[in-house]
Amino acid sequence: MKKLRFLIVMDDITTVSYKKDTTLAMMWAADERGHELYYCQIHDLWLSQGALNVDAQPLQVFKNPENFYELGEMATYCATDFDVILMRKDPPFDMKFLYALHLLDYAKQAGVWVINDPLAVKDCNEKLFATQFSELMSPTIVTNKQMHIQAFITEHQDVIVKPLDGMGGMGIFRLTADSPNISATLEMLTQMGKLPIMAQKYIPAIVEGDKRVLIVGGKPVEYCLARIPSQGETRGNLAAGGRGVAMPLTARERELAETIAPILMQKGLYFVGLDVIGGHITEINVTSPTCVREIDDQCGISIAVDFIKFIENNIDSHPKTDI
């Protein structure tokens, strides 16, 4: 097995949660398999004469909650000094995130394997991308016009509305036909009709969990994480207080994942999280999907190791070239 140089582009490592961080699991897996790790944040990416440079630090990781990483001295590297770049910066998907994806595309052009593909991440808004598979979703509309959303609520009686750039359950509201503050809620979310939002028919099966189905290297992981809302809460997101329970995929969840997986592979999206409620897709997470640690801990598997093995088995199909 060839030793690879991994650059991990992520948030400030001092903010990482030792107990549940998925990126940390990936770094442990790469380290255990003998690969070399480097760390940077998105502000460490920069261009010179059309080539991507990176101010990065060598990184060691340990399974010790008191001391789980050690950084070496920062130096400037060419993007082509690395074999693989893992883009693991968490949302929000703001202009800084967008510019980082544009910069990472220069590494891709030079033949470095960037995962997930930066232009695919840019093009695949996590909520809008799901609508390309509308037959697999609950009834959904996207609009900035209150009259269309009002009509949608009248038709379906019970609806979830949410911003297109939200994360962790932020900005999600449940509106029924008799809700007293529909207009005010829609005015806020659409910024007085200037910003499109998503409205979806409410799926009662949310009480059984908003399930995170991971697709790694085009193959669904055998177990998903059901994020079960707390009492009186509509959202199952762990960041919103949901409880994570790992369970085997249902036949329907496997069908959904296997239907979408070939499209993901074509786009260079190799680590993806589907959000599924009651057998319907609600979102396709391509930026920095999580829930690996919870599934691993409850089911005795190692999703991150499988991901690193996928990279090892396919690295030769990504030969480096000069820009």
Side-chain angles (χ1 to χ4, degrees):
M1 180 179 66
K2 182 168 68 173
K3 183 176 182 178
L4 303 176
R5 269 188 161 191
F6 281 79
L7 174 67
I8 317 297
V9 184
M10 58 185 287
D11 287 303
D12 184 348
I13 197 167
T14 65
T15 66
V16 161
S17 168
Y18 179 84
K19 289 185 177 181
K20 65 177 186 178
D21 190 79
T22 289
T23 304
L24 182 56
M26 293 177 176
M27 295 189 293
W28 281 335
D31 177 70
E32 288 167 1
R33 295 188 62 77
H35 302 303
E36 200 172 338
L37 297 175
Y38 293 80
Y39 155 85
C40 79
Q41 298 184 59
I42 59 173
H43 60 249
D44 296 314
L45 306 171
W46 59 285
L47 285 181
S48 177
Q49 304 302 313
L52 182 65
N53 292 322
V54 186
D55 295 333
Q57 294 172 269
L59 170 67
Q60 291 181 284
V61 288
F62 314 101
K63 290 187 175 179
N64 176 357
E66 304 302 320
N67 177 36
F68 64 88
Y69 71 91
E70 186 174 298
L71 293 172
E73 185 175 347
M74 182 174 284
T76 297
Y77 299 85
C78 298
T80 50
D81 290 334
F82 305 103
D83 299 294
V84 181
I85 297 177
L86 298 184
M87 175 49 159
R88 291 291 302 174
K89 171 74 177 74
D90 287 339
F93 195 112
D94 54 16
M95 291 307 297
K96 291 181 289 185
F97 196 110
L98 180 61
Y99 291 146
L101 295 175
H102 281 291
L103 292 177
L104 287 171
D105 188 54
Y106 285 82
K108 175 189 168 185
Q109 292 176 36
V112 182
W113 195 4
V114 184
I115 303 174
N116 284 322
D117 183 282
L119 294 189
V121 172
K122 178 178 69 71
D123 290 341
C124 296
N125 173 277
E126 299 188 325
K127 294 178 177 62
L128 286 175
F129 183 32
T131 65
Q132 294 188 24
F133 307 92
S134 59
E135 71 280 5
L136 307 178
M137 301 179 72
S138 174
T140 299
I141 64 169
V142 176
T143 179
N144 61 306
K145 293 186 177 181
Q146 191 169 145
M147 64 178 182
H148 295 318
I149 304 172
Q150 292 271 16
F152 188 79
I153 295 171
T154 299
E155 178 183 0
H156 296 289
Q157 295 293 299
D158 199 348
V159 167
I160 294 292
V161 292
K162 53 189 174 181
L164 297 178
D165 61 351
M167 59 170 287
M170 290 189 301
I172 294 178
F173 292 86
R174 180 181 177 185
L175 299 175
T176 58
D178 58 357
S179 293
N181 295 310
I182 293 177
S183 294
T185 302
L186 297 182
E187 287 170 3
M188 178 188 67
L189 288 177
T190 66
Q191 297 182 9
M192 300 300 293
K194 297 176 182 177
L195 190 70
I197 64 171
M198 176 173 280
Q200 293 179 312
K201 181 180 178 181
Y202 175 74
I203 306 171
I206 183 61
V207 297
E208 301 165 9
D210 179 352
K211 296 186 178 180
R212 170 60 55 84
V213 177
L214 292 170
I215 303 176
V216 178
K219 296 181 179 179
V221 174
E222 293 297 318
Y223 300 88
C224 66
L225 190 74
R227 297 162 296 174
I228 300 170
S230 57
Q231 185 68 32
E233 176 61 76
T234 299
R235 304 164 299 172
N237 309 74
L238 299 184
R243 176 171 54 95
V245 179
M247 54 187 65
L249 295 188
T250 66
R252 172 61 173 171
E253 289 155 2
R254 183 179 301 281
E255 177 188 8
L256 295 174
E258 291 178 346
T259 299
I260 293 171
I263 306 300
L264 301 178
M265 291 293 285
Q266 289 172 17
K267 290 181 176 291
L269 298 168
Y270 301 115
F271 195 91
V272 173
L274 303 185
D275 287 348
V276 179
I277 302 174
H280 299 277
I281 293 170
T282 60
E283 297 182 20
I284 303 177
N285 297 273
V286 302
T287 49
S288 184
T290 60
C291 298
V292 160
R293 300 284 296 284
E294 294 88 347
I295 297 172
D296 281 355
D297 290 346
Q298 294 181 42
C299 300
I301 61 177
S302 185
I303 298 166
V305 170
D306 291 339
F307 178 50
I308 299 301
K309 286 181 179 179
F310 165 77
I311 293 171
E312 293 167 353
N313 292 336
N314 291 276
I315 189 68
D316 289 340
S317 65
H318 289 80
K320 292 180 183 174
T321 59
D322 293 327
I323 291 182

